[in-house]
Amino acid sequence: MKVVRVGLIGLGTVGAGVFSVLRRNQEEIKRRTGCRIEITTVSRRDLDKARSMVDGAVRVVANPHELIDSPDVDVVVELIGGCDAAREFVLRAIAAGKHVVTANKALLATHGTEIFAAAEARGVMVAFEAAVAGGIPIVKALREGLTANRIQWIAGIINGTTNYILSEMRNRGVSFDAALRQAQALGYAETDPTFDVNGTDAAHKATLMSAIAFGIPVQFDRAYVEGISGLANLDLRYAEQLGYRIKLLGIVRRREGEGVELRVHPTLLPARQLIANVEGAMNAIVVNGDAVGNTLYYGKGAGSEATASAVIADLVDVARLSTSNPEHRVPYLAFQPGAVRDVQVLPIAEAITSYYLRLRVADETGVLARVTAILAQSGIGVGALLQLEAKDVGGDESAQTDLVILTHQARERAMNVALTQLQALPVVLAPIVRIRKEELD
Ligand code: NAP
Ligand code: HSE
């Protein structure tokens, strides 16, 4: 029986999951694949901890170079996270002619072009299913299952930590900080959770999906990124009253003749939609292809064994494909390297979407007319409106109220002009809250 010998760098949340799932399901995997996947070597800096996690048959080394250069390692699995050391280890593995499996979206979204070119030149594979949406096989779906389609757009909840925080805040009234601490304890958050909260992690994943979906280079530096820390409970509640939920979405959209949108931000979604009801650390991704229409992928987007499921699926792919003619392998980013197009990622000012606006206004006659007149001048239509009675807003009961507006679609540039004018009105008493809104139909 063919044996695939694996070197595992990183034995934290995901590394430990890979180890235990492989051990538990080895027989089932062998029945499926006809090969045995064997971890021969592991590496982490804390050697004592590493030794306590593996059995005596597995070699433990502190220096990943030793693992990479070892003749009994055919595939290097990088599970340390971060960019600097990970980049060095991955490039060294590629140079040594080893296939690579990684869960590291930060690495591939920022250094993917260099890494895939090096792998192409050396004829080895770089597999990264676990880098996007944890255990959901979305990379395989986009790269293989949907090959027949021209992908039009993808929108997804692709960060488990932030979805967990929003769900805990909404369903259980847990504070932002407490919910984040819970997400960290459950192993969902990045080593630096700022990347989760400020949208960077979701933007890494959206960047990878845009490349696979549209055949464009990875361009994380062009992504628009906005996280959830500015969200107020009040807006979550108003959105509910209007029949919407707020989720942190990664959105990539093809705009014929113009470029592509690549953006991550809190987004209002109609509460009736399946994706709006995805709770906790679960992820869900809607993909729209011209032939298939909308398809939805749902599952655990983070966590030890769910992510290990994707890492091991990549190991099986490597085992299967390493014996095939490299010309027949599925390209790393779905499109043949020579067919990648340098389509521009549009600046956020060119995005087209609809909006939720909340204006804290003086409770005076004529305010509504002035606000809607400014929107109309910018060509922005109003879809729905909610104005609370002043007494329900708190503070000085008679003085102020909230005006919540849902707009029709508009170009963000036009919305920016309108917002500047609205903010300048003396009756607008606080910074206007603007949250983007999508229907996903
Ligand atoms: P983690 O729990 O922090 O584990 C990182 C591991 O890497 C630790 O065992 C650490 O051990 C080791 N390490 C760090 N630097 C090292 C170095 N220079 N040399 C050798 N070992 C080193 O991280 P994780 O959550 O498993 O995440 C790993 C990767 O998977 C990241 O890229 C992450 O974005 C990605 N990912 C995570 C999840 C998830 O749910 N957690 C899901 C999808 C993808 P020592 O400190 O002892 O060295
Ligand atoms: N920190 C990431 C998340 C892990 O919460 O989604 C999975 O990529």
Side-chain angles (χ1 to χ4, degrees):
M1 179 173 283
K2 183 177 163 67
V3 178
V4 180
R5 297 167 307 171
V6 176
L8 198 63
I9 310 177
L11 213 50
T13 304
V14 183
V18 171
F19 205 84
S20 62
V21 173
L22 252 187
R23 179 183 290 167
R24 192 168 73 235
N25 294 343
Q26 186 68 259
E27 284 310 310
E28 193 75 355
I29 293 167
K30 268 198 294 189
R31 283 179 61 215
R32 286 210 171 101
T33 62
C35 71
R36 180 178 166 75
I37 295 170
E38 191 176 303
I39 298 176
T40 60
T41 317
V42 296
S43 174
R44 68 177 287 177
R45 292 164 302 190
D46 187 331
L47 283 177
D48 289 340
K49 269 198 189 146
R51 287 199 188 98
S52 72
M53 295 170 76
V54 301
D55 55 47
V58 177
R59 200 151 52 96
V60 178
V61 297
N63 184 352
H65 290 175
E66 210 182 309
L67 175 154
I68 293 164
D69 299 340
S70 168
D72 68 357
V73 168
D74 309 311
V75 187
V76 172
V77 179
E78 181 278 304
L79 297 174
I80 66 172
C83 282
D84 296 344
R87 172 177 167 273
E88 199 235 305
F89 299 152
V90 164
L91 288 174
R92 186 179 175 114
I94 291 170
K98 311 269 165 109
H99 302 294
V100 172
V101 173
T102 178
N104 193 333
K105 51 269 171 164
L107 175 71
L108 294 180
T110 48
H111 299 288
T113 303
E114 177 190 25
I115 288 168
F116 293 125
E120 175 77 14
R122 198 67 179 79
V124 296
M125 284 181 275
V126 175
F128 58 94
E129 183 62 74
V132 187
I136 304 174
I138 187 67
V139 172
K140 208 172 189 65
L142 286 169
R143 224 163 34 178
E144 300 176 44
L146 298 174
T147 311
N149 287 264
R150 190 171 165 80
I151 305 289
Q152 307 291 3
W153 54 262
I154 304 174
I157 297 170
I158 46 179
N159 182 269
T161 302
T162 43
N163 203 51
Y164 182 84
I165 293 171
L166 291 178
S167 302
E168 289 294 289
M169 285 169 68
R170 192 177 75 84
N171 300 332
R172 278 189 261 280
V174 176
S175 74
F176 185 101
D177 290 340
L180 173 58
R181 279 197 300 278
Q182 286 170 12
Q184 288 179 285
L186 290 165
Y188 303 147
E190 294 302 295
T191 311
D192 178 357
T194 318
F195 273 22
D196 295 296
V197 171
N198 72 11
T200 303
D201 177 75
H204 288 147
K205 295 164 181 166
T207 300
L208 292 172
M209 290 200 295
S210 71
I212 300 169
F214 305 138
I216 62 174
V218 284
Q219 300 171 75
F220 170 67
D221 53 342
R222 311 286 292 271
Y224 174 78
V225 190
E226 188 183 315
I228 61 163
S229 43
L231 276 181
N233 265 320
L234 190 62
D235 294 309
L236 300 180
R237 282 206 306 276
Y238 286 155
E240 294 278 334
Q241 285 181 36
L242 289 159
Y244 288 81
R245 294 266 159 80
I246 300 181
K247 296 287 183 188
L248 184 72
L249 279 200
I251 298 170
V252 303
R253 188 186 298 275
R254 197 193 285 271
R255 291 257 302 275
E256 299 300 345
E258 290 185 87
V260 302
E261 294 180 8
L262 170 52
R263 49 191 168 98
V264 169
H265 48 71
T267 311
L268 267 78
L269 290 168
R272 66 182 153 77
Q273 289 197 336
L274 281 175
I275 189 170
N277 294 284
V278 170
E279 302 284 17
M282 303 304 273
N283 281 194
I285 303 159
V286 186
V287 181
N288 177 273
D290 65 342
V292 73
N294 283 4
T295 53
L296 173 67
Y297 306 83
Y298 170 81
K300 284 188 184 163
S304 181
E305 292 207 350
T307 312
S309 161
V311 171
I312 296 168
D314 274 348
L315 283 170
V316 169
D317 263 2
V318 169
R320 285 184 173 139
L321 294 170
S322 56
T323 49
S324 70
N325 180 339
E327 279 191 18
H328 299 151
R329 288 181 195 157
V330 182
Y332 314 108
L333 292 174
F335 288 72
Q336 296 297 328
V340 170
R341 301 224 172 104
D342 203 6
V343 175
Q344 81 154 317
V345 173
L346 298 168
I348 190 66
E350 301 306 329
I352 295 175
T353 184
S354 41
Y355 298 87
Y356 162 104
L357 304 176
R358 173 165 62 82
L359 294 84
R360 179 60 60 96
V361 292
D363 189 20
E364 289 173 12
T365 315
V367 171
L368 185 56
R370 269 180 277 173
V371 168
T372 50
I374 288 177
L375 290 171
Q377 274 161 27
S378 290
I380 299 166
V382 172
L385 224 151
L386 179 72
Q387 181 170 5
L388 271 76
E389 285 192 71
K391 67 179 169 52
D392 294 331
V393 172
D396 180 349
E397 288 188 357
S398 61
Q400 49 184 266
T401 188
D402 276 336
L403 193 56
V404 178
I405 298 170
L406 299 184
T407 75
H408 293 311
Q409 280 201 333
R411 200 172 282 259
E412 181 124 340
R413 183 195 300 282
M415 178 53 80
N416 291 342
V417 170
L419 282 178
T420 307
Q421 291 172 8
L422 289 171
Q423 195 67 70
L425 290 176
V427 289
V428 174
L429 305 174
I432 299 170
V433 174
R434 169 247 302 264
I435 304 176
R436 297 168 188 87
K437 169 174 160 288
E438 299 281 342
E439 297 295 328
L440 302 187
D441 289 328

